[in-house]
Amino acid sequence: MEECIQIRRYEELHTAKEFESLIEAQNVPAVLCGCIKNWRAFSLWNPRNGGLDYLQERVGSAMVEAMVSSSAPIFYGDLGSHERVPLPFSMFLDLCKKRIHMQTEQQHQHLDDDHSVASQTDHTQHDYLSLEDVPEQIYLAQVPIMNRDREEKVQLGTLREDIQLPPILGAKELSSINLWMNNAQSRSSTHYDPLHNLLCIVSGRKQVVLWPPSASPSLYPMPIYGEASNHSLVALENPDYSIYPRAECSMEFAQKVVLEAGDALFIPEGWFHQVDSDDLTIAINLWWRSNTMSCMLEHMDAYYLRRILRRTGSTTA
């Protein structure tokens, strides 16, 4: 891995100028440790500390779109592999609460089993579902809290006041702010975003594998004019190298980071990433246009394309 695209961790980064010069200008991901621990959301949304009740009280009546997929816990980006189902946010929160109750009950059961044989004869019936019955294929993905261009699509706008724009972003004009939340372990398929992204972990834990744009040939992105063109065709958890032979060397270009609650990850536009989330993980992402894309005027597209094709051709020749 070239040193210039190594992902770094920053314990302290205070100003927008530092972020722009040290990180954003390099177009390389960076982990910003403890970046959002001052958010109201960080202290108020924690599922293990009354956060689900708080969210239910604030926005429980809101309707949200949930992803339901037969391939769960892996969620692929193309529309053929999942559907989006509207449901009250309170219903999803209830599923999360049931999961916490059942996990607690299982832990108590294990403790009882360790202490006495008598506990094994306790046939008390509980009125909530078994762990296996809770739908694990439900995932709240990209639920809008703020959307600059499509205000009518915002579903959880009330939560905006719990999210403080990090000082490192300065006066950037955000495109959108979105909620990501899962009631069970989940994985997003490998994809890139056409915008700069700050992924913020409010509660729980995520593991992210990232590839630079130069690794694109080994990840087989979907056709550029088709659906979900920013997603990889390769199922990296079980790749078929007979169909995608270049994918065999894809992990040579990969870097892995682990994000704990309070951390944030800057993911530049064009960087492929696959995200694994632990149970009951809540994240917020902030999207904004890069300086490069903001400066690319449409009447210059043909010129830029010719330059890129020439540069790519000379590189691979």
Side-chain angles (χ1 to χ4, degrees), residues 86-291:
L87 80 164
F89 191 32
S90 58
M91 181 180 295
F92 178 80
L93 294 172
D94 283 339
L95 289 174
C96 295
K97 289 180 180 180
K98 285 182 179 180
R99 189 166 185 84
I100 291 176
H101 288 320
M102 287 181 287
Q103 289 173 339
T104 303
E105 180 70 15
Q106 286 182 339
Q107 291 171 357
H108 289 166
Q109 183 65 48
H110 288 316
L111 289 174
D112 291 343
D113 290 345
D114 290 340
H115 281 92
S116 68
V117 177
S119 65
Q120 297 177 10
T121 63
D122 181 8
H123 300 294
T124 303
Q125 296 296 311
H126 301 284
D127 59 1
Y128 45 73
L129 297 173
S130 69
L131 187 62
E132 290 74 23
D133 291 332
V134 173
E136 295 192 0
Q137 73 273 25
I138 294 180
Y139 180 36
L140 298 189
Q142 198 178 325
V143 180
I145 293 174
M146 185 279 284
N147 190 301
R148 189 183 64 196
D149 297 325
R150 305 185 69 183
E151 292 185 10
E152 73 281 1
K153 294 293 185 180
V154 172
Q155 297 167 340
L156 298 176
T158 304
L159 296 180
R160 177 68 180 87
E161 62 192 58
D162 291 343
I163 300 165
Q164 290 73 49
L165 187 67
I168 59 170
L169 296 189
K172 291 189 185 303
E173 187 176 9
L174 298 181
S175 298
S176 63
I177 301 174
N178 305 285
L179 171 75
W180 306 74
M181 187 172 177
N182 53 287
N183 68 320
Q185 291 183 354
S186 65
R187 166 177 288 180
S188 69
S189 59
T190 305
H191 67 284
Y192 67 84
D193 298 322
L195 299 165
H196 279 345
N197 183 6
L198 190 69
L199 175 63
C200 307
I201 313 304
V202 175
S203 180
R205 185 172 179 266
K206 287 181 182 283
Q207 176 181 281
V208 187
V209 183
L210 301 109
W211 294 261
S214 56
S216 181
S218 67
L219 294 172
Y220 293 88
M222 293 187 181
I224 194 168
Y225 294 114
E227 175 203 332
S229 60
N230 61 322
H231 284 252
S232 169
L233 284 165
V234 184
L236 291 173
E237 60 279 352
N238 187 27
D240 187 339
Y241 296 133
S242 65
I243 300 177
Y244 307 111
R246 293 192 303 273
E248 196 162 5
C249 65
S250 63
M251 297 310 293
E252 295 177 13
F253 306 99
Q255 299 180 70
K256 183 185 299 183
V257 300
V258 175
L259 305 173
E260 306 289 350
D263 292 342
L265 172 66
F266 171 59
I267 307 175
E269 62 176 355
W271 276 72
F272 285 87
H273 49 285
Q274 176 182 275
V275 184
D276 287 290
S277 302
D278 284 0
D279 280 359
L280 294 169
T281 293
I282 303 176
I284 293 293
N285 91 292
L286 315 173
W287 268 321
W288 70 95
R289 291 187 74 189
S290 68
N291 292 334

